[in-house]
Amino acid sequence: MLLYPSLDSLNDEVPNRYLLVNVVARKAREIADDAENLGEHLTEKPVTLAINEVAAGEVQVDPEDLYNALNADERRIPSSPVLSSVDHDEMDEDAEDGDGAEEE
């Protein structure tokens, strides 16, 4: 459970929690890679360091990523009828054969 920094303070920096996870993960990978390349030993886990940097406002969010995350609901494809283009006779034949798995 995340106690500090609070999720509210993190959402002040990155208003979408799904984008927040992405931003923290990217930053954590960057921190871990940099430490490995420099041969440094981290005193805290990369995710903890990344979360603290986001809370401090040190991590910039790509405006395009933010726009895409905030408008994701508008781009969803409306659900369509399942199997609308499938010939139902072919489906019945496959069902009679068992589970539909091919035999070798």
Side-chain angles (χ1 to χ4, degrees), residues 15-85:
N16 181 292
R17 62 182 158 178
Y18 301 107
L19 180 58
L20 174 64
V21 169
N22 192 288
V23 167
V24 169
R26 286 182 192 178
K27 185 61 180 177
R29 271 187 240 116
E30 181 183 313
I31 291 169
D33 289 345
D34 289 348
E36 184 178 339
N37 291 338
L38 296 173
E40 294 179 353
H41 175 74
L42 297 174
T43 58
E44 294 185 76
K45 293 183 179 182
V47 172
T48 301
L49 295 170
I51 288 172
N52 290 332
E53 286 187 26
V54 170
E58 298 172 3
V59 177
Q60 297 297 315
V61 178
D62 182 13
E64 185 176 338
D65 286 344
L66 180 58
Y67 175 81
N68 290 335
L70 294 176
N71 295 305
D73 290 336
E74 296 173 10
R75 290 191 314 271
R76 287 192 180 154
I77 300 171
S79 58
S80 59
V82 178
L83 305 173
S84 61
S85 63

Side-chain angles (χ1 to χ4, degrees), residues 1-9:
M1 178 178 197
L2 182 66
L3 297 176
Y4 179 80
S6 71
L7 188 56
D8 291 337
S9 67

